[in-house]
Amino acid sequence: SFWPSMQSGRLAVMNGLTSVDIVEIASGTIIRRLPDVIASGWVEEIAISPDGTRAAIGSNTGAITVWDLGTGQQLAGMTGHKDPIAALAVRETDLVSTAGDGTMRFWRLSDGANLATAAHPNVATIGGPYVKAGSPTVYTTHYAVRGWDFHSP
């Protein structure tokens, strides 16, 4: 499986069940290999920050890890979802996640703090959440589009 980030020009590619390669799209060069990014389970979803410096990786256990793509070091770990991660979106300072448990969570990237949780039966969908850099609105899709306003504290 792979996850492109057109804004950053990078692509995340699964390398086995628990490792991820970050590839420069233009050259096809692997710029960072992240081995064993998940403590247990396997990788479900990946999102790369718009500036290409961080990757958020969600697992089938509901855990999320955030990685510095320059150093290859883990920056934060987040837990709270009870089901597999369905989708991730990274903005400048925060992360939005959805899971099969019907919740959408907003996290601060710097320390992994859960800033807010929204519950909705259709929030965990393939193809959502969608966020735009600099925008406080998150959009999810499931036969309809729903906007969620979120402002980082």
Side-chain angles (χ1 to χ4, degrees), residues 38 59 68:
I38 301 294
S59 76
D68 182 305

mmCIF file of all heavy atoms in Angstrom, residues 38 59 68:
data_model
loop_
_atom_site.group_PDB
_atom_site.id
_atom_site.type_symbol
_atom_site.label_atom_id
_atom_site.label_comp_id
_atom_site.label_asym_id
_atom_site.label_seq_id
_atom_site.Cartn_x
_atom_site.Cartn_y
_atom_site.Cartn_z
ATOM 1 N N ILE A 38 5.386 0.335 14.356
ATOM 2 C CA ILE A 38 4.236 -0.075 15.149
ATOM 3 C C ILE A 38 4.718 -1.084 16.191
ATOM 4 O O ILE A 38 5.396 -2.049 15.855
ATOM 5 C CB ILE A 38 3.154 -0.731 14.252
ATOM 6 C CG1 ILE A 38 2.676 0.234 13.173
ATOM 7 C CG2 ILE A 38 1.999 -1.261 15.074
ATOM 8 C CD1 ILE A 38 1.944 1.434 13.671
ATOM 9 N N SER A 59 -2.248 2.352 13.278
ATOM 10 C CA SER A 59 -2.208 0.890 13.262
ATOM 11 C C SER A 59 -3.599 0.276 13.365
ATOM 12 O O SER A 59 -4.583 0.958 13.624
ATOM 13 C CB SER A 59 -1.359 0.388 14.426
ATOM 14 O OG SER A 59 -2.081 0.501 15.637
ATOM 15 N N ASP A 68 9.732 11.958 12.888
ATOM 16 C CA ASP A 68 10.517 13.016 12.243
ATOM 17 C C ASP A 68 11.217 12.378 11.055
ATOM 18 O O ASP A 68 12.023 11.453 11.228
ATOM 19 C CB ASP A 68 11.540 13.582 13.236
ATOM 20 C CG ASP A 68 12.351 14.713 12.645
ATOM 21 O OD1 ASP A 68 12.967 14.517 11.567
ATOM 22 O OD2 ASP A 68 12.394 15.786 13.257
#
